[in-house]
Amino acid sequence: MMTNKKEILETIDRIYKQRRYNAELSKERKMSELYAKSKEFADICDKIKLAGLRLSKASLMQNKEQIAKYSKILDTLISKRTKLLIEMGYPSDYLEPDYVCKACQDTGFVVSEDKVEVCKCRTQLFIELLYEQSRLKEILKEHNFSSFNLDFYSKEIDLKEGLSPYKNMVKIIEEVKKFVENFDMPNQKNLLFYGPTGLGKTFLAHCIAKEIIDKGKTVIFLDSISFFEILKDKYSKMIRLYDEVSDEEYKSLEEVDLLIIDDLGNEGKNTEFCHGVFQSLLDKRFLSGKKMVITTNYSLDGLVTVYSGFIMGRLQEYFMFLHLFGEDVRVIKAKLQLEKRT
């Protein structure tokens, strides 16, 4: 994700530039069509241009009397043009540019009285381009439920767990399919897979990603190192009181339909300072009903040693914990390949 950021942002800027150009071009074509169709319309438009120029000049000269005069003239002429448009059989907003996004007028940013914010359409575009340029698209061709093989999980009962790895995985897959089926339900908990390496945690996360994307939703899949790099960047901006409106990366973590964090805890111990940002993100996604999937090689006791009680509290409240156990599937596959060769 990190290495593609510059390229993605450049692509987004080109897309918005093209969208604005298309909108203006469409408006010019409509104007030309109406000019040719009605002399009265053309005359009114010419008067609007002239009044606009005189209003601009009055504004530069700070001539309040002239500003009031030409503002009134301009309003009257625009009202006449709108009335004429309707009489000609056109909607009143016919000459408005055909922006793809009305909220930001294809700039990617929404301007209010006291702030400038990233438009939702820009965040959505960032997520879509991120997915297109990630390896996830290729990975999901092989890592999906149709290729999930339960044969690698022993049917022998684990005395400590009270059931076999096979039966445990069958139950986990049932919960995963419920999660996918009830993805839009507000009471559907997030999922956290935990257990030793090589048991299929990441594979399951890929399976979920495939199903959710097939539903037409957006997905971001990050390893914990990349995830915490974004949190570090956000924390740095917060302590410097620096509000960067083009902060697409962190905004995308808030807005994406499904956020998957793989191998939580692998980010190292130099990230404690941004655990507050992590907690805030967990809260925001939960309150907005947006789902998450987390995988970790840590045991529950191990997670407690890495994260604060506040974060663990959030994880226990917002997530269903699913424990994977058994023999490393990769080791089993390696043994089978070796047997075939001999």
Side-chain angles (χ1 to χ4, degrees):
M1 179 175 185
M2 310 297 285
T3 55
N4 292 332
K5 182 180 177 182
K6 183 179 179 182
E7 182 181 344
I8 290 173
L9 293 180
E10 288 174 350
T11 302
I12 287 174
D13 288 340
R14 287 196 298 271
I15 289 172
Y16 277 114
K17 185 177 181 180
Q18 185 63 49
R19 286 181 180 180
R20 291 193 299 275
Y21 173 76
N22 291 342
E24 291 302 323
L25 186 63
S26 174
K27 180 179 178 179
E28 288 177 12
R29 286 172 179 165
K30 290 176 182 178
M31 290 291 287
S32 297
E33 169 198 340
L34 292 167
Y35 261 69
K37 200 169 188 177
S38 168
K39 186 177 184 304
E40 183 181 0
F41 177 86
D43 288 342
I44 290 176
C45 287
D46 289 341
K47 289 176 181 178
I48 287 173
K49 287 180 185 177
L50 182 59
L53 289 171
R54 288 176 174 170
L55 177 59
S56 297
K57 183 178 179 181
S59 297
L60 289 171
M61 300 295 292
Q62 297 184 348
N63 187 322
K64 293 182 179 180
E65 184 178 334
Q66 291 291 301
I67 289 172
K69 174 184 175 181
Y70 288 112
S71 292
K72 186 176 180 180
I73 290 173
L74 197 57
D75 288 341
T76 302
L77 288 170
I78 290 173
S79 295
K80 284 184 178 180
R81 186 179 68 180
T82 301
K83 183 180 178 182
L84 182 58
L85 271 175
I86 294 170
E87 289 173 355
M88 294 169 68
Y90 294 94
S92 59
D93 62 351
Y94 184 65
L95 292 177
E96 292 295 319
D98 295 326
Y99 295 119
V100 175
C101 178
K102 304 292 185 184
C104 69
Q105 298 186 345
D106 291 344
T107 63
F109 302 100
V110 178
V111 181
S112 59
E113 290 184 3
D114 58 344
K115 59 183 176 180
V116 179
E117 293 184 303
V118 178
C119 186
K120 286 186 178 294
C121 72
R122 185 178 176 99
T123 302
Q124 181 78 6
L125 189 55
F126 183 87
I127 294 169
E128 291 170 1
L129 289 172
L130 175 63
Y131 171 69
E132 287 298 322
Q133 294 190 17
S134 71
R135 289 185 62 244
L136 188 59
K137 193 173 184 179
E138 293 301 314
I139 290 170
L140 297 186
K141 290 178 181 179
E142 296 183 5
H143 286 202
N144 51 67
F145 282 122
S146 62
S147 60
F148 195 97
N149 191 347
L150 281 167
D151 293 339
F152 294 116
Y153 297 88
S154 172
K155 293 183 179 180
E156 185 177 338
I157 294 178
D158 184 303
L159 296 178
K160 182 180 177 182
E161 301 294 339
L163 74 165
S164 68
Y166 175 88
K167 186 66 175 178
N168 181 58
M169 184 54 73
V170 169
K171 288 185 175 182
I172 286 174
I173 290 175
E174 287 176 359
E175 292 297 341
V176 165
K177 290 187 175 179
K178 284 181 188 176
F179 174 82
V180 171
E181 184 180 346
N182 301 322
F183 187 77
D184 293 319
M185 301 293 288
N187 60 344
Q188 174 59 56
K189 277 198 168 187
N190 301 307
L191 300 181
L192 188 150
F193 301 113
Y194 71 99
T197 60
L199 294 176
K201 299 185 298 296
T202 300
F203 197 106
L204 280 172
H206 285 153
C207 291
I208 294 170
K210 172 72 165 56
E211 295 296 317
I212 298 305
I213 289 169
D214 287 348
K215 283 176 171 279
K217 307 287 186 179
T218 54
V219 174
I220 289 178
F221 191 108
L222 290 172
D223 62 72
S224 65
I225 295 174
S226 297
F227 173 69
F228 273 91
E229 284 299 318
I230 298 172
L231 299 192
K232 285 180 188 178
D233 187 48
K234 180 65 176 178
Y235 176 82
S236 177
K237 290 169 184 172
M238 288 169 61
I239 62 172
R240 298 199 314 264
L241 301 178
Y242 174 54
D243 185 18
E244 184 184 342
V245 294
S246 60
D247 190 12
E248 282 90 351
E249 282 188 300
Y250 185 78
K251 195 75 175 173
S252 69
L253 300 185
E254 294 182 334
E255 298 292 336
V256 69
D257 296 318
L258 174 62
L259 174 61
I260 301 176
I261 306 168
D262 192 39
D263 206 3
L264 186 69
N266 192 46
E267 67 277 0
K269 291 190 175 181
N270 62 339
T271 60
E272 289 94 336
F273 65 91
C274 57
H275 280 183
V277 184
F278 184 23
Q279 180 184 320
S280 176
L281 179 65
L282 288 171
D283 289 338
K284 181 153 191 176
R285 288 192 62 83
F286 174 76
L287 291 172
S288 61
K290 294 185 178 295
K291 303 299 189 296
M292 292 180 67
V293 169
I294 292 176
T295 77
T296 181
N297 295 331
Y298 279 81
S299 65
L300 295 186
D301 289 340
L303 282 176
V304 172
T305 65
V306 178
Y307 300 104
S308 68
F310 290 108
I311 290 180
M312 286 305 300
R314 296 304 196 278
L315 293 176
Q316 289 169 339
E317 181 182 355
Y318 303 157
F319 288 77
M320 176 186 294
F321 287 59
L322 298 172
H323 182 209
L324 283 74
F325 58 87
E327 189 177 351
D328 191 324
V329 171
R330 291 171 297 190
V331 173
I332 297 173
K333 288 181 178 179
K335 287 178 180 177
L336 291 173
Q337 289 176 353
L338 187 60
E339 287 173 5
K340 286 180 181 179
R341 290 174 188 170
T342 56

